[in-house]
Amino acid sequence: MNKKLYSLNKNEVTYVKEDFEKISINEREVENSIQIKSSFFKDCFKAFAKNKASLIAAIVLSIIALFAIITPIASPFTKIDSLSYNIDGSRLSNIHPKNLMFEGSGFWDGTYEKKINDADYYVYKFYDTENKPIIKDNGEIKDVEMEMLNASQKIHSVTLDSYAVGSSYISLNKEDYFKLEEYCNNTGKNIIQDYVDYRSYIEEYRNELLASEFNYSQAMIDITIKNMEIQYRNANITYKIVPLLNTDGSIRNNNVFLPMFDNTDVVHIYSSSVIDNDRHIKGVIENGQYHIRVDYMPYFEYKYGFSPIFLFGSNSAGQDLLSRLAIGTLFSLGLGILVTAINLLIGLVYGAVEGYYGGKTDLILERVSDILSAIPSIILLVIFNVYFSSIPGLNQGIAVVLGLFIAFILTGWIGVAGTTRMQFYRYKGLDFVAASRSLGAKNSRLIFKHILPNAIGTIITSSILMIPGVIFSESSLSYLGIIDFSGSGLSSIGQLLNEGSGSLGSDNAYLLLFPTILISLLMISFNLFGNGLRDAFNPLSRGE
Amino acid sequence: MAITFVIIFTICFFLVRLMPVDISQGPGKDPTTYEKMRQAYGYDKPLIDQYLIFIRNIFYPYYKDANGVTYSVSRFGYSWQIDYMAEPNKMLFSKMAPTVIINGISILISIPLGILIGIYMALKKNKWQDYVLSVLVIVLISVPAFVYAFILQYSFSYKLNLFPTTMPPLMNGMSWFSPSVQKAMVLPVIANSIGSTAVFSRFMRAELSETLTSRFMILARSKGMSKFEAVVKHGLRNSMVPIFPMILGHVIGIFSGSIIVEQVFGVPGVGKIFLDSILQHDYDVFLFVGMFYILIGLAGGLLADISYGLADPRIRVGGNFKNE
């Protein structure tokens, strides 16, 4: 033993053979069995898995994330070119949610009950498309409020199928028209409908008014005819209409039009087909453009290759709420995670410096973060939002996102810095740090190799809760209209809430329902998940 | 606190004055008159001069022109968009009543209710009542306020027709305490209360359940106190130490309205005017109301710090403490 040489330099310890002794295999086995098999992280995950609520929350969260990622890829609506869809979209506006599983049940099948006046009722009643909008006529009802607004009209309660959108006037060039005709002949579908010859009827009615016994003024006649033309733009009016009349036959209201009845049938005014190059064409040809009337749903299927089913309904522009919601969720989640990651990084560095160096450095840095934390992020957000939006040439979407990022990051890291500072105070006085320091370790080594690995679990798990915080702020602010994505093609859950906020009392309350459900689910599961994770990693703060 | 406030005010002032002014907004406003008015009040001067003018106006609200005539000017700038040439301070204080009433009633409901629920949860700790209530509390805390507001508005206003959907404008001879106005305030009060009730019950549970496991509780029981007595006399008093400052913070907070709840229910309060100033880019009003919000926040924090010492004499912020 006396041959052993120790020197101050730790690299120069020399051993001789007698220093080592052989151990038997049995002893080694005993040593192995003593070693603790589970690690800190394994323990934490065990604790987390015991917490049922957090586990369910984690599952819900991953389902939402999957929904946000898969839906934009799988949904046929996201593949549609939005520029050409704009006109078609307006015809599919406010279609109610429909789930094929509930077909015909009256719930979630695209139908809804509505009270309508005579004028609307007859338009719906005489659709000449295959799908009729009125699927159940509940008869006339008394409704004082509506009767006040609709003088001398009856109020009907009906159940409408929002998928029966009826027909629509479209213009095609020759080539497209022949393609459509060929498609109809091949599939046997009746897309092209008889054209309505309303111009000659309007002329006829004008003459009738001029010759009328009531001596209408020229202005009165003009405005009546003009209103009538506007009515006929609705391609579902295929019959003669007359204004609302008094009992003596004079016009009572030249803005409300009812069908003209012949006994109990309406008089359709279909025009006979035009003959062009030996073909019968149902429509009008002007400047090489074929103006025709089509049954819109089958036409949509022909044009885009799928028949639209809106699981969550469609908005006023005919956009699918489901895919918009998925894109919005993806944006909100991405923003939350990215902002949190950046805040984590900044807070970690700041808190580490504060906590490690302590003393005057800590005092000064704490005052700085105190001042910053007193500024509400809404004020910063407004300032940066306006500032970036006013820079000419900057894309509006980029400007809004940039403003959001800066506003959330400028004060967001303070919480992380506080947690990090506490952890550093806790660990820096411990023996293993002192031991390392006494061996000559530098500050950077102590921070990154010794203190940070011990503290990082707590810091990260406590900052997970920042993600729902960011999502919450973003959705609240865009709900209020302070952040406005509308011109930029971006979408967030808050933006959808903003768009749906006016529909609460109307038939389209689903526009608000689905975003509300999603954001509630997201917030609840994120908070439960974050709390569970924090409790598992940080046993001291349990129950708070 | 005063220094913090001055620093924040200075930063915000410069940021706000750097923002572009859109003159064309609003009907019936002549751009040239508008520009002249702005020049007269010094809005075209360099930022540092604007800052000095603003500070001077706060303490000495008079302006002497080249001819030596003295005019009276506003202390806090002017509203340019919402209410042309109105003074922001008057605008804010005229909107104070509904906000204070709604928030006041909310905290009168939510604080006692939250504390009672928290006590119940702590006493039933780790039993099924506690589990159910804990999940419910987390759910209520997580769900954004506008979700409650929507649910309340949809079910009670649109479906059941029990309450008006939004607040009616104040007619002649009506006050904020007239029955019809009070009826319109019911839903905003409920929407405001739910969140803070949940927050208070969560904190109360955490504090009380920690106190109940302390050794002095065992001592109290072993002296012969009943459980009820021990909880009220020893448990509650000790657990109120961190709760009391929280209550004070909420009480101060009644002046700053919830923007979301006021927006959904159309309450013409402080939050509404803040939102209007943001959406209409009315910068002087925005600055004034924003500063008001910051002041309320800072005052709440300060009051909470002081009240720790009041609630528990053992805690005194002395000069003789070190950071380490």
Side-chain angles (χ1 to χ4, degrees):
Chain A
M1 292 296 266
N2 52 357
K3 278 183 190 172
K4 204 191 311 183
L5 293 166
Y6 286 106
S7 90
L8 278 172
N9 192 332
K10 58 187 172 187
N11 293 332
E12 286 177 32
V13 181
T14 40
Y15 294 97
V16 290
K17 203 180 176 186
E18 287 85 67
D19 284 340
F20 301 96
E21 51 177 304
K22 261 188 175 174
I23 58 158
S24 71
I25 293 166
N26 280 341
E27 271 177 273
R28 201 178 280 164
E29 271 177 356
V30 170
E31 230 170 52
N32 279 344
S33 68
I34 290 170
Q35 267 180 1
I36 303 159
K37 280 204 177 123
S38 83
S39 67
F40 172 64
F41 281 91
K42 265 187 189 164
D43 274 353
C44 289
F45 281 113
K46 263 186 199 164
F48 179 76
K50 264 189 189 169
N51 192 340
K52 289 285 180 308
S54 306
L55 205 62
I56 294 168
I59 294 166
V60 172
L61 214 55
S62 33
I63 291 172
I64 292 176
L66 274 179
F67 154 77
I69 295 166
I70 291 174
T71 311
I73 303 170
S75 166
F77 288 101
T78 48
K79 295 184 188 77
I80 293 175
D81 179 18
S82 62
L83 276 180
S84 71
Y85 183 68
N86 276 344
I87 314 154
D88 292 320
S90 65
R91 292 182 181 114
L92 295 180
S93 65
N94 295 334
I95 289 185
H96 282 233
K98 179 177 185 172
N99 189 338
L100 287 178
M101 275 159 56
F102 294 95
E103 183 89 64
S105 67
F107 164 75
W108 205 351
D109 63 348
T111 62
Y112 62 107
E113 256 184 56
K114 200 179 181 184
K115 291 172 196 162
I116 48 178
N117 58 22
D118 268 349
D120 289 337
Y121 174 74
Y122 288 120
V123 174
Y124 281 128
K125 194 171 175 182
F126 298 119
Y127 269 37
D128 64 343
T129 49
E130 222 161 278
N131 293 326
K132 306 286 183 214
I134 298 179
I135 54 171
K136 200 176 154 211
D137 196 338
N138 306 326
E140 284 169 25
I141 52 156
K142 277 290 226 199
D143 191 308
V144 182
E145 222 172 281
M146 275 192 78
E147 272 163 15
M148 261 164 54
L149 294 170
N150 299 283
S152 78
Q153 287 190 67
K154 294 185 191 90
I155 307 299
H156 302 259
S157 165
V158 288
T159 307
L160 292 175
D161 181 6
S162 58
Y163 282 80
V165 293
S167 33
S168 173
Y169 290 115
I170 57 165
S171 304
L172 296 174
N173 61 30
K174 193 173 182 177
E175 221 169 277
D176 287 340
Y177 176 78
F178 288 145
K179 256 190 220 163
L180 177 61
E181 206 182 52
E182 200 186 321
Y183 173 82
C184 290
N185 291 338
N186 289 344
T187 57
K189 277 180 185 162
N190 190 16
I191 296 179
I192 304 171
Q193 293 180 295
D194 291 320
Y195 204 72
V196 176
D197 180 26
Y198 62 83
R199 286 195 177 86
S200 53
Y201 171 66
I202 286 177
E203 219 31 63
E204 187 189 316
Y205 193 72
R206 184 199 285 274
N207 293 334
E208 208 173 289
L209 285 182
L210 283 170
S212 150
E213 55 183 303
F214 297 103
N215 289 326
Y216 297 116
S217 69
Q218 190 60 41
M220 173 75 179
I221 294 174
D222 284 349
I223 211 151
T224 308
I225 293 300
K226 206 177 157 209
N227 286 341
M228 196 178 229
E229 259 186 281
I230 292 169
Q231 288 292 313
Y232 271 115
R233 301 242 173 89
N234 179 350
N236 292 307
I237 301 181
T238 60
Y239 41 82
K240 288 183 180 175
I241 52 174
V242 282
L244 187 62
L245 301 174
N246 287 322
T247 39
D248 62 353
S250 62
I251 294 176
R252 184 187 166 99
N253 186 336
N254 63 4
N255 216 359
V256 176
F257 291 89
L258 297 175
M260 185 196 267
F261 287 102
D262 183 20
N263 291 327
T264 52
D265 299 322
V266 290
V267 188
H268 290 285
I269 40 172
Y270 296 130
S271 63
S272 50
S273 50
V274 183
I275 296 176
D276 176 48
N277 301 335
D278 298 336
R279 280 164 184 264
H280 287 280
I281 287 159
K282 298 172 182 171
V284 180
I285 306 167
E286 269 173 16
N287 310 329
Q289 288 284 317
Y290 288 62
H291 302 288
I292 52 171
R293 201 167 71 94
V294 290
D295 191 349
Y296 197 69
M297 273 300 179
Y299 174 71
F300 184 94
E301 200 183 332
Y302 155 76
K303 189 172 174 187
Y304 293 102
F306 68 98
S307 74
I309 301 275
F310 299 100
L311 195 60
F312 286 0
S314 73
N315 66 5
S316 58
Q319 288 165 310
D320 179 32
L321 193 61
L322 177 80
S323 35
R324 288 202 74 206
L325 206 53
I327 293 168
T329 312
L330 206 58
F331 176 81
S332 296
L333 271 178
L335 183 85
I337 292 170
L338 210 61
V339 165
T340 305
I342 296 171
N343 279 338
L344 190 66
L345 212 66
I346 299 172
L348 214 56
V349 173
Y350 197 91
V353 170
E354 272 184 325
Y356 185 78
Y357 292 101
K360 278 216 174 74
T361 323
D362 183 28
L363 208 64
I364 294 166
L365 291 181
E366 268 293 276
R367 291 295 84 76
V368 173
S369 62
D370 268 1
I371 289 172
L372 278 178
S373 68
I375 310 178
S377 61
I378 183 170
I379 290 184
L380 292 172
L381 195 107
V382 171
I383 291 172
F384 287 112
N385 198 8
V386 175
Y387 186 71
F388 284 117
S389 304
S390 69
I391 296 175
L394 192 64
N395 179 307
Q396 206 218 335
I398 296 172
V400 172
V401 174
L402 210 62
L404 265 177
F405 261 97
I406 292 183
F408 282 138
I409 287 166
L410 213 56
T411 55
W413 53 267
I414 293 169
V416 184
T419 319
T420 314
R421 177 172 168 269
M422 294 266 283
Q423 293 295 317
F424 267 72
Y425 269 118
R426 185 173 146 198
Y427 283 107
K428 78 174 181 182
L430 294 187
D431 288 345
F432 67 92
V433 179
S436 184
R437 197 199 299 272
S438 66
L439 283 173
K442 283 181 200 151
N443 285 340
S444 60
R445 187 178 168 79
L446 286 178
I447 291 175
F448 291 113
K449 279 272 169 185
H450 293 287
I451 304 177
L452 204 57
N454 281 301
I456 196 89
T458 314
I459 297 168
I460 289 181
T461 47
S462 61
S463 54
I464 290 255
L465 285 172
M466 204 195 289
I467 301 175
V470 171
I471 297 175
F472 174 79
S473 310
E474 185 273 323
S475 57
S476 303
L477 292 169
S478 37
Y479 162 67
L480 290 170
I482 296 172
I483 308 169
D484 189 7
F485 293 104
S486 55
S488 61
L490 285 172
S491 155
S492 77
I493 304 177
Q495 177 74 22
L496 294 174
L497 286 167
N498 180 302
E499 286 167 16
S501 61
S503 65
L504 195 56
S506 72
D507 299 319
N508 310 324
Y510 63 88
L511 283 176
L512 197 56
L513 176 75
F514 290 105
T516 309
I517 291 177
L518 190 81
I519 187 120
S520 307
L521 265 183
L522 197 64
M523 300 304 295
I524 293 167
S525 48
F526 239 125
N527 278 331
L528 279 174
F529 172 71
N531 280 339
L533 212 59
R534 193 191 55 190
D535 290 351
F537 272 78
N538 197 4
L540 288 176
S541 77
R542 261 176 212 177
E544 230 182 277
Chain B
M1 183 194 127
I3 298 169
T4 313
F5 182 73
V6 170
I7 294 172
I8 295 173
F9 168 72
T10 310
I11 297 171
C12 287
F13 182 87
F14 283 106
L15 285 174
V16 167
R17 286 291 164 98
L18 273 173
M19 294 208 281
V21 182
D22 29 358
I23 300 168
S24 56
Q25 276 192 8
K29 279 168 208 156
D30 179 28
T32 47
T33 341
Y34 187 94
E35 197 52 42
K36 270 184 190 156
M37 287 292 263
R38 287 186 70 85
Q39 274 171 17
Y41 289 104
Y43 282 76
D44 57 337
K45 293 204 169 80
L47 278 179
I48 192 80
D49 287 350
Q50 287 185 33
Y51 183 66
L52 293 176
I53 290 173
F54 196 91
I55 297 286
R56 198 200 61 204
N57 281 348
I58 291 176
F59 298 106
Y60 180 75
Y62 300 100
Y63 166 72
K64 204 182 254 180
D65 71 355
N67 305 326
V69 188
T70 312
Y71 300 99
S72 168
V73 294
S74 161
R75 284 181 197 265
F76 302 102
Y78 291 94
S79 162
W80 297 95
Q81 305 286 351
I82 300 173
D83 187 0
Y84 194 54
M85 296 318 279
E87 294 180 21
N89 45 340
K90 286 182 184 154
M91 287 169 74
L92 176 68
F93 294 122
S94 69
K95 305 281 181 190
M96 204 65 114
T99 297
V100 170
I101 294 169
I102 288 177
N103 286 341
I105 301 173
S106 306
I107 62 167
L108 284 182
I109 297 170
S110 64
I111 294 177
L113 191 66
I115 288 177
L116 282 179
I117 295 173
I119 293 170
Y120 180 74
M121 281 160 77
L123 293 178
K124 296 277 176 194
K125 197 180 178 186
N126 292 338
K127 295 200 177 108
W128 68 268
Q129 295 99 325
D130 178 39
Y131 288 128
V132 171
L133 281 173
S134 294
V135 171
L136 191 69
V137 160
I138 289 197
V139 166
L140 288 182
I141 288 176
S142 317
V143 170
F146 51 77
V147 175
Y148 309 132
F150 291 153
I151 295 171
L152 288 171
Q153 205 178 35
Y154 186 74
S155 46
F156 290 105
S157 299
Y158 287 113
K159 288 290 145 182
L160 298 177
N161 266 326
L162 286 177
F163 299 103
T165 48
T166 51
M167 204 127 160
L170 219 51
M171 300 294 180
N172 261 350
M174 275 163 75
S175 82
W176 294 110
F177 294 99
S178 311
S180 66
V181 181
Q182 286 287 308
K183 200 177 166 192
M185 280 182 180
V186 171
L187 293 183
V189 164
I190 297 174
N192 251 347
S193 314
I194 294 175
S196 41
T197 307
V199 168
F200 271 100
S201 49
R202 185 187 193 180
F203 268 89
M204 194 66 212
R205 177 192 176 272
E207 290 302 328
L208 189 61
S209 57
E210 205 184 311
T211 319
L212 288 182
T213 53
S214 307
R215 285 189 186 160
F216 62 78
M217 288 302 292
I218 301 171
L219 178 69
R221 290 303 300 280
S222 64
K223 282 195 305 188
M225 278 175 133
S226 70
K227 192 176 181 190
F228 177 78
E229 233 180 330
V231 167
V232 172
K233 283 197 175 161
H234 294 281
L236 272 184
R237 279 182 70 173
N238 275 289
S239 55
M240 282 310 269
V241 172
I243 304 282
F244 182 63
M246 246 179 87
I247 295 175
L248 280 181
H250 264 70
V251 171
I252 284 288
I254 65 171
F255 294 104
S256 53
S258 154
I259 301 179
I260 289 175
V261 170
E262 291 193 1
Q263 164 76 3
V264 172
F265 293 105
V267 180
V270 177
K272 187 82 171 72
I273 198 159
F274 193 38
L275 184 66
D276 284 346
S277 72
I278 292 168
L279 295 180
Q280 300 186 24
H281 296 182
D282 201 338
Y283 296 132
D284 280 4
V285 181
F286 169 64
L287 189 67
F288 187 79
V289 182
M291 286 303 121
F292 178 75
Y293 269 76
I294 290 173
L295 198 63
I296 294 291
L298 286 173
L302 185 74
L303 206 64
D305 281 352
I306 295 170
S307 64
Y308 267 111
L310 287 177
D312 186 356
R314 287 171 300 179
I315 307 168
R316 290 265 193 250
V317 184
N320 191 18
F321 82 102
K322 275 185 178 164
N323 221 339
E324 230 170 311

